[in-house]
Amino acid sequence: MLERTFSIIKPDAVKRNLIGEILSRLEQNGLKVVASKMVFLTRGEAEGFYAEHEGKPFYETLVNNMTAGPIIVQVLEGEDAIAKNRQVMGTTDPEKADAGTIRKDFAVSMQQNSVHGSDSPASAAREISYFFSEIEIFSGN
Ligand code: RTP
Ligand code: MG
């Protein structure tokens, strides 16, 4: 099924000049960028984006890391884009990630794990609309 997912290239990756490397992995796996911009999240924006994790032990560090520098937010489109993106990303903990995944090859740690990807159709819809309006998304381009 042709699907959209939401993706972030996180501050640790932007800082280390890895935008192109990461985009290549996504594109080579059939994910197409249909919306993209660079933003620098405020604390409030990062807290709102990660509201589902509020109260968890890693929440503060997560918000700190996500506001440590600019990020690329993007909408990816493709066949089974949500699952495909998470497969290309690899598991949250880079040490446990499969060989050839973005996190295995580029992540620094579980907290600085280079990318984000929506985990369900409902999160994809919420996360896309957190950053983009429909007229900024060029589906099927
Ligand atoms: P993401 O949302 O970033 O795509 O990653 P995910 O689904 O693999 O992980 P999730 O459980 O949604 O957690 C969001 C981000 O919080 C950090 N985290 N740290 N135990 C920990 O130290 C821990 N657990 C999660 C990670 O940076 C993760 O990407
Ligand atoms: Mg998640």
Side-chain angles (χ1 to χ4, degrees):
M1 193 202 9
L2 190 67
E3 231 175 23
R4 283 178 184 174
T5 191
F6 178 71
S7 161
I8 298 179
I9 303 178
K10 293 185 176 186
D12 71 90
V14 173
K15 272 198 172 69
R16 288 177 294 139
N17 229 6
L18 292 170
I19 295 172
E21 294 276 0
I22 290 173
L23 274 177
S24 290
R25 301 285 184 99
L26 299 171
E27 290 183 339
Q28 278 161 15
N29 283 278
L31 293 163
K32 185 164 187 107
V33 178
V34 294
S36 174
K37 60 189 170 190
M38 182 175 266
V39 296
F40 198 147
L41 295 182
T42 64
R43 206 166 174 81
E45 286 167 343
E47 286 171 352
F49 183 76
Y50 282 114
E52 66 175 304
H53 295 305
E54 197 180 343
K56 293 184 189 167
F58 60 85
Y59 182 66
E60 276 300 308
T61 315
L62 175 60
V63 171
N64 287 341
N65 280 314
M66 292 304 290
T67 54
I71 59 175
I72 299 290
V73 292
Q74 53 193 359
V75 180
L76 306 176
E77 197 169 72
E79 283 299 311
D80 298 317
I82 296 170
K84 171 67 66 68
N85 183 37
R86 289 184 68 88
Q87 182 195 323
V88 178
M89 286 164 56
T91 56
T92 314
D93 181 352
E95 284 183 18
K96 298 194 182 116
D98 289 342
T101 61
I102 292 170
R103 282 169 166 166
K104 181 68 171 187
D105 292 343
F106 302 124
V108 178
S109 64
M110 183 126 155
Q111 296 295 342
Q112 295 183 39
N113 58 0
S114 304
V115 281
H116 162 86
S118 307
D119 60 11
S120 67
S123 347
R126 183 187 86 86
E127 293 171 1
I128 289 170
S129 67
Y130 199 83
F131 289 99
F132 294 100
S133 64
E134 202 53 43
I135 59 161
E136 295 175 298
I137 304 169
F138 299 93
S139 268
N141 71 34

